[in-house]
Amino acid sequence: MAKKPRADGKQIVASNRKARHNYSIVQVFEAGVALQGTEVKSLRAGHASLVDAFATVDDGEVWLRNLHIPEYRHGSWTNHDPRRTRKLLLHRREIDGLIGKLREGNYALVPLSLYFTEGKVKVELALGRGKQAHDKRQDIAKRDAQREVLRELGRRQKGM
């Protein structure tokens, strides 16, 4: 079952937790996804995986590849292919901006989350640059230091 709606109206179906660890996020986009009926039913049941998913720009269109939406359990011969390539729906100016950014540097289009908003399936797509191993270690060290500071503040507040 998909999670309950958050305060901002998003009902998250799947999220890519490793994306923020492996990429430094430059810009975030919200895109619609062109889906078939059984895919939507499977998503409403809360089944999807963004683990290996990525997006590409081909002939002026953005495509989401390797998104795994399992077949709908109660479907028939009309069921979908679980890993088919799905078209993302963005405005032309957004696509043109993405094409320019992708050409100029070492950027990748990474899906961060898949969710329902107002009954429509959306994907949060990020333009990110791959992190080196030392960058990942620095981020972990910063996070640990911040956690330790908060822990110490909590101890002081309690009078320990």
Side-chain angles (χ1 to χ4, degrees), residues 36 38-39 42 70-81:
Q36 295 176 352
T38 55
E39 290 174 324
S42 187
E71 290 184 349
Y72 182 57
R73 231 182 71 193
H74 304 294
S76 60
W77 59 272
T78 59
N79 253 335
H80 61 277
D81 179 30

Side-chain angles (χ1 to χ4, degrees), residues 90-111:
L90 289 161
H91 291 284
R92 171 58 46 202
R93 65 182 180 280
E94 291 176 324
I95 294 173
D96 292 342
L98 280 175
I99 291 171
K101 292 267 187 178
L102 290 171
R103 282 192 184 142
E104 79 181 32
N106 296 336
Y107 291 110
L109 284 174
V110 184

Side-chain angles (χ1 to χ4, degrees), residues 10 28-36 39-40 43 50 54-56 61-65 67 69 84-92 94-95 98 109 111 113-126:
K10 291 181 182 178
V28 178
F29 299 93
E30 181 182 64
V33 187
L35 297 172
Q36 295 176 352
E39 290 174 324
V40 176
L43 287 174
L50 286 170
F54 63 97
T56 58
E61 295 179 334
V62 184
W63 298 90
L64 186 60
R65 302 182 188 280
L67 168 65
I69 301 175
R84 76 178 186 91
T85 302
R86 295 164 177 94
K87 187 174 182 178
L88 294 180
L89 308 172
L90 289 161
H91 291 284
R92 171 58 46 202
E94 291 176 324
I95 294 173
L98 280 175
L109 284 174
S113 63
L114 187 67
Y115 55 90
F116 282 97
T117 181
E118 298 177 11
K120 309 263 191 304
V121 178
K122 303 285 185 176
V123 64
E124 190 175 40
L125 194 64

